[in-house]
Every structure is written in C-alpha cells, then in structure tokens.
Amino acid sequence: MPGRASTPSRPVNLSVNLHPYGEGRLLLSRDVTALEQAEAMRRDFVANVSHEIRTPLTVLAGFVETLQTLSLNDQERERYLALMAEQAERMQTLVSDLLTLSRLEGSPPPGLTDWVSVPTLMRQLEQEGRALSAVFNPSRDRLHQLVFDSLLAGEIAGIPNELLSAMSNLVGNAIRYTPSRGEIHVRAFLLPDGRAEFSVQDTGPGIAPEHLPRLTERFYRVDRSRSRDTGGTGLGLAIVKHVAQRHGAELKIESTPGKGSTFTIIFPANRVRSLRIAACSEPIT
Ligand code: ADP
C-alpha cells in the first residue's frame, strides 16, 4: 500500500502483513520503496540489454539467411558481409561496455598509491581523437578542429585504464555528435584550490535542459538514431559517471541547444599531484 507521504513523483510503498501472535495479532509494516525501485531498475536493465542485443542479432540472422538461400554475385556478397560485420561490431561494443560497467561495480575503489600522468593521458586522447575524427570524415578537408590544451603537468591518483576510458568517452561523444569542421576543445588544468579539471567542449547540437539530469542513466539517449548511426551504446556517460564517482570526482554537464556542450570532470585536490604548471601552452591544432 502507498505510504502516507507518498506522492506520484516520490512514491513510498509499504508492505503490511498481519500475523497470528499468541492470543492476538501482530501487524508488521515495512518500507519497501527502495527494494521495489531496485527490482524495477533490474527489470528495466535486463529489458534494455535484451532489446539492444536483439536488434543487431535479428539483422545478422536475416543476412545469414539471405546468404544461405540466395545465390549472390561477388559484389552483393561483399556488401552483405560488410553489413554483417557492422552488426557484429555493434554487439561487441555493447558487450564490452557492459563488461566495463560490471567491472567498475565489482572492483574495489581506486586507492591513492597509483599515479597517472596527465600529459600522457592527454597524448593518448589526442591520438585517439584524431583517428576517430578521420573515421567520421574520410575526406580529410572536413575534419573537426581539435584543440588539446594540456596545462597540467601533473598526475592524478587512480586507475589508468578507467581514467582513459572515461575521458575518451567524452572526447568520442564530442566527435560523434559534432558535425564535421566543428570545434572540439579538450583541456586539463589545475584549479587555484588544488583540484584538477578535465573538460571537453564542443560546438555540436547541444542538449535541451530537460535531458541533462538523465544523461548518465544507462541506455538513456536524446537522439536514438544519431547515437546508433555513430556506434553509440547509450552506456558511455554511465561509465564516465561511475569512473568519476570512484575517483571522488564530480561530473558536470553544461549545454546550450544549438551552440554546444561542455562535459567536465573535477578531481579532488587529494588525488592531484602537480609537478609544474605550464605558464601558457600554445594549443596544438
Ligand atoms: P551514446 O552511446 O548514445 O552516445 P552516452 O551515454 O555516451 O551514449 O550519451 C548519452 C546521450 O547523451 C547520447 O545518446 C546523446 O544523445 C547525448 N550526448 C552525449 N554527448 C553529447 C554531446 N557531446 N553532444 C550532444 N549530445 C550528446
């Protein structure tokens, strides 16, 4: 039954049981709101995963059947095989993101003993970012304008592949959602209070304010077809948020529809070791 303080936006559910107790009865009342919410989340998650896998699997099975039943010429065969490879890759990406999330949930939080070099992370991100931009814009005259500003010559305490995965998800999203020739600015710098900020700013389509609070939910997408067309799984920002939380960091999302978005991860001062602050670095374009 609904609790007394229950409202449609904040439901409170009670489980009330009457048991025989000696000569009388015992009434047991329990708040089961959190339990029911967790169960609903589990059900949604399983339904979402099944749905995400079923679509490419159906397409793949359809192509297999076509190859088995129709006699195709070499060119047609090649085309079908390429489409099948695309669907298989989609499933691989999805499974790999799901495994990343489950590893994040199952492993102990990162300690303060392993230090990751920020300039090395930025170099890796730049290499990956430029390669990804070239994939989306095969005619090289329409590449994104990528600027990497590494103003923090220091280290962050954490797990290297988690930090790289979170940051490259943000850079990847900026590239995937920003039209060709758009600008993407990636920065890493030290704040005056000793915290470190990593941000990715783009001139893409932006995101309407009503979507912002839900972006880090698993499988939440603003534009479903754009996400799918560019190889998205809907899990990227959930991974980013998880990694940030595990590192005691905050994820901030600012966006103006039609102008662009900025995703920022702010690391707490106790996880930042600054070796030297570059006075001013010329952005590498
Ligand atoms: P996806 O794999 O769909 O990109 P994410 O979890 O990374 O999943 O992002 C969730 C949704 O947030 C995306 O589907 C997209 O609608 C929106 N989004 C993320 N990054 C950007 C961006 N830089 N510009 C515009 N929309 C974005």
Side-chain angles (χ1 to χ4, degrees):
M1 63 184 280
R4 230 185 319 155
S6 187
T7 61
S9 57
R10 259 176 192 276
V12 176
N13 289 331
L14 301 178
S15 154
V16 185
N17 293 291
L18 194 61
H19 299 274
Y21 189 75
E23 296 292 298
R25 300 257 201 280
L26 177 71
L27 188 74
L28 270 183
S29 159
R30 225 159 33 108
D31 184 342
V32 289
T33 316
L35 205 70
E36 286 189 348
Q37 272 172 355
E39 181 53 25
M41 272 168 70
R42 193 194 61 79
R43 269 199 312 269
D44 282 356
F45 183 69
V46 172
N48 276 325
V49 172
S50 315
H51 176 77
E52 294 292 331
I53 290 187
R54 194 179 54 186
T55 314
L57 206 52
T58 309
V59 180
L60 201 56
F63 287 138
V64 171
E65 201 183 317
T66 309
L67 286 174
Q68 281 171 331
T69 50
L70 295 183
S71 61
L72 304 168
N73 63 32
D74 284 354
Q75 210 182 357
E76 285 168 335
R77 258 181 88 80
E78 282 302 309
R79 200 170 66 84
Y80 277 106
L81 287 172
L83 290 169
M84 288 165 74
E86 211 174 90
Q87 298 301 322
E89 196 184 319
R90 202 171 128 184
M91 283 193 284
Q92 266 173 342
T93 318
L94 179 68
V95 171
S96 143
D97 278 359
L98 285 169
L99 284 174
T100 304
L101 271 174
S102 96
R103 265 196 300 269
L104 288 173
E105 278 171 347
S107 55
L112 291 168
T113 45
D114 292 332
W115 291 86
V116 188
S117 151
V118 176
T120 307
L121 276 176
M122 290 293 276
R123 265 196 300 279
Q124 283 171 304
L125 288 173
E126 181 164 2
Q127 266 172 13
E128 272 184 28
R130 293 196 188 282
L132 187 65
S133 172
V135 170
F136 283 100
N137 307 287
S139 63
R140 295 190 63 82
D141 57 322
R142 306 185 65 218
L143 291 179
H144 294 102
Q145 296 179 51
L146 294 173
V147 181
F148 284 81
D149 249 342
S150 185
L151 295 172
L152 168 61
E155 295 171 323
I156 292 174
I159 299 174
N161 59 3
E162 285 188 19
L163 293 173
L164 183 65
S165 153
M167 292 171 179
S168 75
N169 259 305
L170 295 183
V171 176
N173 277 355
I175 291 172
R176 287 168 44 231
Y177 292 106
T178 304
S180 44
R181 293 211 185 97
E183 275 171 46
I184 294 159
H185 205 146
V186 185
R187 298 181 182 88
F189 59 94
L190 192 68
L191 293 169
D193 59 8
R195 290 180 301 159
E197 193 170 298
F198 169 82
S199 72
V200 181
Q201 184 179 16
D202 66 50
T203 54
I207 303 156
E210 65 269 24
H211 295 294
L212 295 181
R214 301 198 57 192
L215 282 190
T216 56
E217 285 176 22
R218 293 167 192 204
F219 298 112
Y220 189 84
R221 292 155 165 131
V222 178
D223 182 344
R224 208 155 261 280
S225 65
R226 176 103 182 95
S227 160
R228 291 241 169 80
D229 291 350
T230 56
T233 60
L235 296 174
L237 290 177
I239 294 176
V240 176
K241 187 170 173 199
H242 238 295
V243 171
Q245 272 176 348
R246 280 165 58 77
H247 287 79
E250 182 196 346
L251 172 67
K252 251 181 22 187
I253 309 175
E254 291 154 307
S255 191
T256 313
K259 287 219 156 67
S261 317
T262 306
F263 291 77
T264 310
I265 305 178
I266 304 167
F267 293 93
N270 67 332
R271 286 199 173 265
V272 182
R273 197 155 76 178
S274 165
L275 304 178
R276 150 180 79 81
I277 306 164
C280 177
S281 91
E282 273 300 304
I284 320 151
T285 42

